[in-house]
Amino acid sequence: MEILPLTGGLGAEIIGADIRRQTDFNEIQDAFAKYSVIVLREQNAEPADHLTFAQRFGPVNINRFFKPVEGHPEIAMVLKEKDQTAAVGEGWHTDHSYDQAPALGSILRALEMPPYGGDTLFVSMGMAYETLSTPMRKFLDGLTAVHSSRHVFGASAMDSEAAKSGRLGNAEAATQDVRHPVVITHPISGRRGLFVNPVFTTHIEDLSTAESDALLEMLYAHCLQPEFQCRVRWKAGDITMWDNRATWHKAINDYNGFRRLMHRVTIEGVPLT
Ligand code: SIN
């Protein structure tokens, strides 16, 4: 197995591993812990292999809002048809940050890719935190942010193309409002990292609206420095897994007129402190 870092910040490409082989798992798990984003190239996997691989990391968290893959309720379909204009996950986000115990990570399998584009971008939230000034880190360390699913998956979002086309649904289940520290300690590595994101974080508690908006805007601009990012260029058959407590991600929607089909399995996490 060859493990090749994608950038100096985060991400690695893994060549020659097979997610179906239990004997490859320890090395894959170590690479995941080290790089936060791993791209397992050329996997010959079926939905059942995808699930078994995910379950080696922990129990699966079934997404309430994504249309599931037929016959596999634990696998969410991430689909953009060739006549659709909006992609799922176009905004920078952390999956399930609206949950009390946000997901450990997600595993995305590419089934059909457009002839170009459809990449996924990632940001290291550990690097983003570590490169803030000491006074700013101290200030953020005592703060709590509110995250919600309501404005993204609730009734107000139901006139979106994704909802009307049936890719997203179950709006009545979008009732999650949770509080997480603005800076978390990663439950496995112990590394400190920012835990706010532009899609699901609504505000920082105890600040005025103007203060919260300005602070989040500053932090988001800081996070988006290219030095903290990596970009995954997919081929059908690839599988990418990301550490949801250490990264943001975003789907690049630059392939109108072509179909892109992915399957996603998300793994349960723990409450964050
Ligand atoms: C997601 O946000 O989970 C989907 C990312 C992608 O489709 O690249």
Side-chain angles (χ1 to χ4, degrees), residues 66 78-79 87-91 93 95 106 108 118-122 234 242 249-252 255 260 262 264 266:
F66 285 51
V78 177
L79 171 66
V88 172
E90 277 186 58
H93 65 285
D95 294 337
S106 292
L108 195 64
D119 300 349
T120 310
L121 288 178
F122 295 88
W234 296 89
W242 57 88
H249 62 280
K250 168 185 168 53
I252 305 290
Y255 54 94
R260 179 179 185 268
M262 324 289 273
R264 195 180 88 180
T266 297

Side-chain angles (χ1 to χ4, degrees), residues 224-263:
L224 288 178
Q225 293 177 55
E227 287 77 5
F228 310 157
Q229 295 186 20
C230 75
R231 182 174 190 125
V232 173
R233 294 220 153 90
W234 296 89
K235 286 209 168 73
D238 292 343
I239 290 182
T240 296
M241 175 171 185
W242 57 88
D243 185 332
N244 198 51
R245 283 107 44 129
T247 59
W248 282 353
H249 62 280
K250 168 185 168 53
I252 305 290
N253 184 7
D254 59 353
Y255 54 94
N256 279 348
F258 297 103
R259 190 171 201 254
R260 179 179 185 268
L261 172 64
M262 324 289 273
H263 285 180

